[in-house]
């Protein structure tokens, strides 16, 4: 079942690019989160989306939010992607697709992993869910809801 606006962020853990175990509970009650699922590192639209989040990162931080990108790529792939494009935010590996299932992110066009963004308020409640294969519009939508 897909997560929707008003739902509490489920607790989850995954490996980040530093080899550390990211735990969502470390953020709940402390800051907002922008969690975006994307299909694959190094692809055209995914790279444009990641770079757009990078270019707006300080604005997200000023609004009290941390950005978390999630795909099924390996930690090693994320390390290269993060380094190549100087991405300042957290990337998590979901190679077993448990996080996609937990959030209810379905494939687009039957085979392409979905591109979906969740904005979670400081208290751990989902305040926005946005699904579009267009990458950069996710940044605009997330900033707009955080500014409210």
């Amino acid at each position: 079942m897909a997560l929707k606006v008003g739902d509490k962020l489920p607790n989850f853990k995954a490996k980040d690019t530093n080899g550390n175990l990211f735990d969502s509970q470390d953020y709940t009650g402390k800051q907002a989160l922008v969690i975006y699922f994307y299909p694959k590192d190094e692809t055209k639209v995914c790279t444009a989306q990641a770079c757009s989040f990078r270019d707006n990162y300080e604005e997200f931080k000023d609004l009290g939010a941390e950005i978390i990108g999630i795909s099924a790529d390996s930690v090693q792939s994320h390390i290269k992607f993060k380094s190549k494009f100087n991405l300042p935010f957290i990337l998590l590996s979901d190679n077993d697709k448990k996080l996609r299932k937990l959030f209810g992110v379905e494939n687009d066009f039957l085979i392409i992993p979905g591109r979906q963004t969740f904005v979670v308020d400081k208290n751990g409640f989902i305040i926005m869910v946005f699904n579009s294969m267009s990458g950069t519009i996710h940044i605009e939508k997330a900033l707009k809801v955080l500014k409210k």
Side-chain angles (χ1 to χ4, degrees), residues 2-10 118-121 123-129:
L3 294 177
K4 59 191 179 312
V5 171
D7 287 349
K8 184 88 169 152
L9 178 70
F118 298 82
V119 177
V120 182
D121 71 12
N123 298 312
F125 289 94
I126 296 170
I127 58 173
M128 185 196 89
V129 178

Side-chain angles (χ1 to χ4, degrees), residues 7-58:
D7 287 349
K8 184 88 169 152
L9 178 70
N11 296 329
F12 66 91
K13 297 177 184 179
K15 286 277 188 188
D16 69 16
T17 52
N18 296 318
N20 298 322
L21 190 62
F22 172 91
D23 187 338
S24 63
Q25 287 185 315
D26 293 341
Y27 291 83
T28 303
K30 297 177 184 143
Q31 71 182 114
L33 296 174
V34 176
I35 301 169
Y36 82 98
F37 287 83
Y38 64 99
K40 188 156 180 56
D41 291 345
E42 302 279 345
T43 59
K44 183 179 178 182
V45 177
C46 294
T47 299
Q49 182 179 28
C51 290
S52 187
F53 271 119
R54 175 201 65 204
D55 295 346
N56 290 279
Y57 186 66
E58 287 307 315

Side-chain angles (χ1 to χ4, degrees), residues 44-92:
K44 183 179 178 182
V45 177
C46 294
T47 299
Q49 182 179 28
C51 290
S52 187
F53 271 119
R54 175 201 65 204
D55 295 346
N56 290 279
Y57 186 66
E58 287 307 315
E59 189 171 0
F60 280 102
K61 293 301 277 185
D62 290 346
L63 293 167
E66 181 57 67
I67 299 168
I68 301 163
I70 302 173
S71 80
D73 293 300
S74 68
V75 170
Q76 283 303 108
S77 176
H78 282 340
I79 289 169
K80 290 178 193 169
F81 188 50
K82 186 171 180 148
S83 175
K84 183 175 181 179
F85 295 101
N86 196 27
L87 305 177
F89 50 85
I90 298 165
L91 292 180
L92 300 179

Side-chain angles (χ1 to χ4, degrees), residues 97-116:
K97 298 179 182 66
K98 284 184 180 175
L99 296 181
R100 276 186 181 279
K101 186 173 183 177
L102 179 66
F103 279 74
V105 178
E106 297 186 11
N107 288 349
D108 289 319
F109 309 116
L110 300 177
I111 57 168
I112 300 171
R115 182 183 312 279
Q116 195 161 350

